[in-house]
């Protein structure tokens, strides 16, 4: 079974700081990667998808993909208390497109 | 408008019972999925259907039987419920593969989940 590994949390950052979330994956042929945010008791909500090496920015969020090193990261600039949630890294596995999730990193942004 | 909707939201039942969860999506997607999220919040794929055809069937007990009457609906029936079935079950949908390279997947959109509690 292919694996996706994330930083074990919880990760605590002060309001306004940059939160950095990291994820590694084991399947070299994967080309689809996703970051989801999940608030307690809610469903996963897509934040970013990334398919090519390099950075992809969307507002305060930047996803970074490095296929050679098999890692994907998410940076959250100007972190807000409302960003406090569990962040799930997912790999779109080639077989049937199922998502393989990491265990999630809990982020806490302190006012 | 709700994109991926699941019913019921909560399901409390006794061991040994049979129950069903329904899922519908109005996004026009061709692929639908069932995921299970356990008490440690780990999300794991169970099944996926593409245009009513089963394409992923993970190592799930055969007490779980998915059914897709059309590409907008995917239901999950569970027989003889056990304590270990207590979890949150999420339905998701996506447009499946895209692009010339054929190995890229559109992101999946999740329903609100069904919290199943076995007494």
């Amino acid at each position: 079974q292919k694996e996706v590994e994330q930083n074990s949390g919880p990760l605590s950052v002060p309001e306004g700081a940059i939160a950095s979330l990291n994820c590694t994956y084991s399947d070299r042929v994967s080309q689809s990667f996703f970051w989801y945010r999940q608030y307690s008791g809610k469903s996963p909500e897509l934040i970013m998808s990334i398919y090519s090496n390099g950075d992809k920015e969307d507002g305060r969020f930047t996803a970074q993909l490095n296929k050679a090193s098999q890692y994907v990261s998410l940076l959250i600039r100007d972190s807000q208390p409302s960003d406090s949630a569990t962040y799930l890294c997912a790999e779109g596995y080639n077989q049937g497109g199922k998502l393989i999730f990491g265990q999630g990193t809990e982020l806490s942004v302190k006012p | 408008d709700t994109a991926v909707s699941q019913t019921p939201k909560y399901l409390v039942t006794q061991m040994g019972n049979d129950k069903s969860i329904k899922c519908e999506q109005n996004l026009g997607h061709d692929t639908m999925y069932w995921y299970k999220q356990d008490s440690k919040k780990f999300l794991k794929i169970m099944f996926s259907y593409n245009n009513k055809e089963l394409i992923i069937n993970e190592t799930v007990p055969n007490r779980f039987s998915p059914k897709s009457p059309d590409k907008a609906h995917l239901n999950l029936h569970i027989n003889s419920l056990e304590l270990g079935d207590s979890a949150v079950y999420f339905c998701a949908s996506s447009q499946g593969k895209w692009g010339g390279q054929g190995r890229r997947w559109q992101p999946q959109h999740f329903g609100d989940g069904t919290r199943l509690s076995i007494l």
Side-chain angles (χ1 to χ4, degrees):
Chain A
Q1 172 69 25
K2 307 301 181 181
E3 290 186 353
V4 174
E5 299 282 343
Q6 289 186 247
N7 282 353
S8 57
L11 174 66
S12 184
V13 299
E15 184 175 355
I18 296 175
S20 177
L21 304 162
N22 299 314
C23 172
T24 59
Y25 61 93
S26 61
D27 185 4
R28 287 187 174 275
V29 301
S30 287
Q31 297 194 30
S32 310
F33 301 91
F34 309 95
W35 282 100
Y36 285 84
R37 176 175 63 198
Q38 188 174 25
Y39 292 112
S40 181
K42 301 294 185 183
S43 62
E45 172 194 5
L46 179 72
I47 298 177
M48 297 277 281
S49 55
I50 186 165
Y51 301 97
S52 303
N53 274 330
D55 295 359
K56 180 181 177 183
E57 189 175 317
D58 184 0
R60 296 185 296 112
F61 299 97
T62 299
Q64 300 172 318
L65 175 60
N66 184 321
K67 292 183 181 180
S69 301
Q70 293 177 234
Y71 82 77
V72 58
S73 63
L74 180 71
L75 300 177
I76 307 174
R77 290 182 300 281
D78 188 23
S79 295
Q80 301 296 309
S82 59
D83 295 326
S84 298
T86 296
Y87 288 79
L88 302 166
C89 172
E91 169 193 3
Y93 188 52
N94 187 47
Q95 181 196 356
K98 65 182 179 183
L99 291 180
I100 299 176
F101 283 90
Q103 67 271 39
T105 299
E106 186 181 345
L107 173 66
S108 177
V109 181
K110 304 293 186 185
Chain B
D1 284 346
T2 303
V4 182
S5 59
Q6 292 179 231
T7 54
K9 193 172 175 64
Y10 299 97
L11 194 47
V12 181
T13 189
Q14 294 196 330
M15 230 170 28
N17 284 350
D18 303 339
K19 290 293 177 186
S20 292
I21 306 171
K22 294 186 176 182
C23 179
E24 176 182 1
Q25 55 93 5
N26 62 5
L27 296 167
H29 289 164
D30 61 3
T31 308
M32 296 184 73
Y33 311 81
W34 279 112
Y35 289 85
K36 178 181 180 180
Q37 188 168 45
D38 61 24
S39 56
K40 295 183 180 177
K41 309 297 184 189
F42 185 64
L43 260 174
K44 194 171 188 318
I45 184 76
M46 299 175 70
F47 302 103
S48 99
Y49 273 75
N50 176 262
N51 280 321
K52 302 191 296 177
E53 181 185 351
L54 179 67
I55 55 174
I56 293 175
N57 184 347
E58 292 289 286
T59 49
V60 176
N62 58 15
R63 298 182 294 104
F64 291 78
S65 52
K67 279 192 173 52
S68 181
D70 55 61
K71 72 175 188 178
H73 296 83
L74 179 60
N75 304 322
L76 183 66
H77 187 76
I78 316 170
N79 289 326
S80 303
L81 281 157
E82 299 178 356
L83 288 174
D85 298 333
S86 294
V88 181
Y89 293 84
F90 287 102
C91 176
S93 72
S94 74
Q95 192 45 39
K97 290 184 180 179
W98 66 281
Q101 297 183 40
R103 287 193 292 189
R104 294 186 175 187
W105 292 88
Q106 293 278 20
Q108 295 176 22
H109 299 269
F110 285 77
D112 287 340
T114 295
R115 185 173 296 275
L116 174 63
S117 299
I118 310 300
L119 302 177

